[in-house]
Amino acid sequence: MKIIKNDHLHFFAIDLNKIKDKDIKNFKFFRDKDCFIFPIDKRNFCIKKFNWEIRNFFINLKSIKDLTKKIDINVDSFLALVDKSLYQSVINILLVNYELLFNNKINYKSNKKIEIEANFIISKNLKNLVDFANNLVLAYKFAHSLQLLPNNQLNPDDFSNIVKKEFKQFQSLVEIRVLNKKELIAKKMNLILAVGQASDQKDEPKLLTIKFRNRKPKFTLIGKGITFDTGGICLKPSNYLKGMEWDMSGAAVAVGVMYALCLNKQISDFGVVIPLAKNDIGPNTTKTGDIIKSYDGASVEITNTDAEGRLILADAISYAIKDWKADTISTIATLTGAIIIAFDNVYSGYFTESKELNKKIKQASKTSGEYIWGLPLNSIFDEKIHISSLADLNNCLPGPNASSILGASFLKYFAKEKEFIHFDIAGTNEVKINSICSIVQPAMLSTLFYFVKDNYAK
């Protein structure tokens, strides 16, 4: 391969099967002076493994001290080693992972490190693929910017105002509505209100909705928007409070999916519903043992105030069904710590009883390169969410047993007979940089974008 001689670093791919050195073959990538070389096994190429290893490459590159040079990323060298059907996915993965790990514009450090600047080398005849990928990058960038805002700069009102401002460019395509606390009270969306009732007036709960104009949102994506989670009266230990400003990541992903669809003109039978609240502590905090009547009409006994995400999602599900007449419901949330124990930060867990949804989401993940893994939902688990002597449902059973599944079962109850799929991104929400440091990312954005585009776009 011809390398342009300059003071840049160079990153390119070569065919693994042409490497003679057996030791080098064991590396995911290796360095030769100013060149970073990424071996690709043409015979056994896996897009999900590729996505994971490209991310690890950028993580390693980020860790190199005093690295301020530019880097030429030869995308064409990667495309030469994969099937043409994977070109779009490979371009997406290279551009998105660079964006997430290097192009972070939100930084409060007084002594800012100069990030490495990338020059992507791609054939001009692939402009359409590059434009499509750049739009996906912009959607990731927007969702990521929401995640990066600290709690004191992002309450429910801030979130909805930022989204409304950003979506002004799409006002001919979408309708946006924000329900304030007074409107939530009028509609009796009491689960959302219960979670946010300890908040100050400036942090009052909201419900944000976005849908395409003149289209029925047959598929509705509901993102958990807890702008900070103290755990409520079931207060989290101090070491579990780290990263709780990211508990709105499901909401960020949901609006990011809509953003990507708008940028790529993928008008769809799709909408997003975002319940926004701050799970705070104060004189009016919801207590364990409280009984709350949901928008659906079912009564819920609050057994754990730190299982608040499912409460706000439940009322939002009912809104999608009652107000929008949605046919298929999906929820995405940093819902349970148990999913991290199961899958670390590798797989996003998902839950559905629909064979059709299972098939379609698997296909979308093959395009995006994101790891997902299905977990069961059935009547045995459903019985457990009804254990209460006072109410129709409990919001959480004590102990860790099957807690991710029980959280999904609780949400499924409110979806009634509609097709339903739930994503728990509590683990994949974070990218680990090292043993003590991690960054947040909008997990599942690409997968859900492709899922909507391939199944609900005109």
Side-chain angles (χ1 to χ4, degrees):
M1 175 177 292
K2 184 179 179 181
I3 301 294
I4 299 172
K5 292 185 178 181
N6 52 31
D7 61 350
H8 296 188
L9 297 170
H10 304 276
F11 180 44
F12 57 88
I14 60 172
D15 187 347
L16 175 69
N17 299 297
K18 291 184 179 180
I19 298 175
K20 295 179 181 180
D21 190 324
K22 291 182 179 179
D23 292 330
I24 289 179
K25 277 192 173 187
N26 294 324
F27 288 98
K28 305 300 182 185
F29 62 88
F30 57 94
R31 184 174 185 176
D32 183 8
K33 297 181 180 178
D34 280 347
C35 293
F36 292 92
I37 303 160
F38 191 94
I40 288 180
D41 187 351
K42 289 178 65 175
R43 300 169 191 168
N44 300 293
F45 183 76
C46 171
I47 195 69
K48 294 184 180 183
K49 187 177 179 183
F50 174 72
N51 185 25
W52 185 261
E53 291 174 356
I54 286 296
R55 179 175 302 166
N56 284 337
F57 165 75
F58 283 124
I59 288 171
N60 278 274
L61 190 65
K62 195 176 181 73
S63 67
I64 297 174
K65 293 181 178 179
D66 302 320
L67 183 64
T68 58
K69 288 184 178 182
K70 291 184 178 180
I71 184 167
D72 293 329
I73 300 176
N74 193 319
V75 180
D76 287 337
S77 69
F78 289 86
L79 300 181
L81 297 171
V82 301
D83 188 85
K84 285 186 177 181
S85 65
L86 295 172
Y87 278 13
Q88 185 70 74
S89 297
V90 169
I91 295 171
N92 292 349
I93 286 167
L94 287 165
L95 270 62
V96 165
N97 277 294
Y98 168 77
E99 171 66 31
L100 287 176
L101 286 156
F102 280 100
N103 205 12
N104 174 14
K105 300 301 182 185
I106 298 177
N107 189 336
Y108 300 95
K109 292 185 177 181
S110 55
N111 183 21
K112 296 180 182 180
K113 178 185 175 182
I114 299 172
E115 298 284 20
I116 190 167
E117 184 180 337
N119 172 40
F120 292 92
I121 300 168
I122 312 177
S123 300
K124 291 181 180 179
N125 64 343
L126 299 176
K127 183 179 183 303
N128 288 344
L129 300 185
V130 174
D131 288 346
F132 188 91
N134 278 328
N135 284 337
L136 192 59
V137 166
L138 288 173
Y140 266 88
K141 188 175 182 177
F142 176 51
H144 196 215
S145 70
L146 288 168
Q147 291 177 301
L148 289 170
L149 287 171
N151 165 61
N152 63 335
Q153 295 182 30
L154 190 74
N155 62 21
D157 194 49
D158 295 323
F159 188 102
S160 54
N161 286 336
I162 291 168
V163 171
K164 283 193 296 182
K165 182 179 179 180
E166 191 66 31
F167 273 78
K168 271 189 177 180
Q169 61 185 304
F170 309 126
Q171 59 187 350
S172 64
L173 298 179
V174 299
E175 300 173 11
I176 299 181
R177 185 184 179 193
V178 179
L179 276 65
N180 59 28
K181 182 178 179 180
K182 185 177 179 180
E183 291 168 301
L184 293 175
I185 291 171
K187 290 185 77 69
K188 299 181 180 179
M189 303 187 80
N190 298 320
L191 295 179
I192 297 175
L193 291 163
V195 172
Q197 73 183 27
S199 301
D200 295 335
Q201 187 174 358
K202 63 181 176 61
D203 296 329
E204 287 178 349
K206 298 276 194 297
L207 186 77
L208 168 69
T209 69
I210 315 172
K211 64 177 179 178
F212 285 101
R213 293 186 183 276
N214 304 314
R215 300 294 288 263
K216 178 188 174 183
K218 295 178 181 178
F219 176 66
T220 298
L221 177 62
I222 299 163
K224 174 185 170 184
I226 296 293
T227 58
F228 193 83
D229 183 17
T230 66
I233 201 169
C234 300
L235 184 66
K236 292 177 183 290
S238 59
N239 58 318
Y240 283 92
L241 284 167
K242 184 181 182 296
M244 282 302 104
E245 68 274 21
W246 301 341
D247 212 19
M248 38 57 68
S249 291
V253 171
V255 296
V257 171
M258 179 62 86
Y259 196 83
L261 291 166
C262 289
L263 283 172
N264 283 304
K265 302 294 190 294
Q266 298 291 321
I267 312 303
S268 311
D269 296 324
F270 172 70
V272 298
V273 178
I274 310 296
L276 293 157
K278 189 175 178 183
N279 189 22
D280 221 333
I281 304 171
N284 298 320
T285 302
T286 295
K287 314 295 193 300
T288 53
D290 287 356
I291 308 295
I292 313 295
K293 189 175 182 180
S294 67
Y295 184 41
D296 167 87
S299 57
V300 180
E301 180 182 358
I302 306 302
T303 51
N304 187 340
T305 61
D306 196 24
E308 83 300 329
R310 66 199 67 181
L311 298 175
I312 66 169
L313 291 170
D315 268 356
I317 290 170
S318 300
Y319 180 92
I321 294 171
K322 293 170 70 172
D323 295 59
W324 276 6
K325 313 299 180 189
D327 298 324
T328 303
I329 301 293
S330 176
T331 51
I332 182 163
T334 47
L335 201 73
T336 65
I339 208 74
I340 305 172
I341 295 169
F343 297 139
D344 194 23
N345 68 327
V346 181
Y347 286 87
S348 292
Y350 74 95
F351 307 77
T352 186
E353 292 178 302
S354 168
K355 290 181 180 179
E356 191 66 21
L357 288 178
N358 186 53
K359 178 182 176 182
K360 289 176 179 177
I361 202 64
K362 282 184 176 180
Q363 183 56 50
S365 75
K366 288 178 181 178
T367 305
S368 71
E370 293 184 285
Y371 282 115
I372 62 172
W373 197 268
L375 290 161
L377 286 175
N378 64 45
S379 58
I380 297 172
F381 296 110
D382 292 345
E383 292 171 4
K384 295 181 183 294
I385 66 171
H386 293 286
I387 299 174
S388 172
S389 59
L390 299 172
D392 297 315
L393 303 159
N394 67 75
N395 79 315
C396 185
L397 287 178
N401 294 353
S403 58
S404 295
I405 298 172
L406 292 176
S409 295
F410 183 89
L411 297 174
K412 187 189 77 168
Y413 172 86
F414 290 90
K416 303 303 181 187
E417 301 304 317
K418 304 294 183 180
E419 282 201 318
F420 172 71
I421 185 167
H422 166 64
F423 300 94
D424 195 335
I425 58 169
T428 50
N429 185 53
E430 293 185 50
V431 178
K432 292 181 179 178
I433 302 300
N434 52 47
S435 60
I436 59 172
C437 182
S438 62
I439 64 168
V440 68
Q441 67 155 344
M444 293 297 292
L445 193 160
S446 183
T447 298
L448 284 164
F449 164 71
Y450 276 107
F451 176 82
V452 177
K453 182 185 83 69
D454 295 342
N455 297 289
Y456 295 95
K458 65 177 182 181

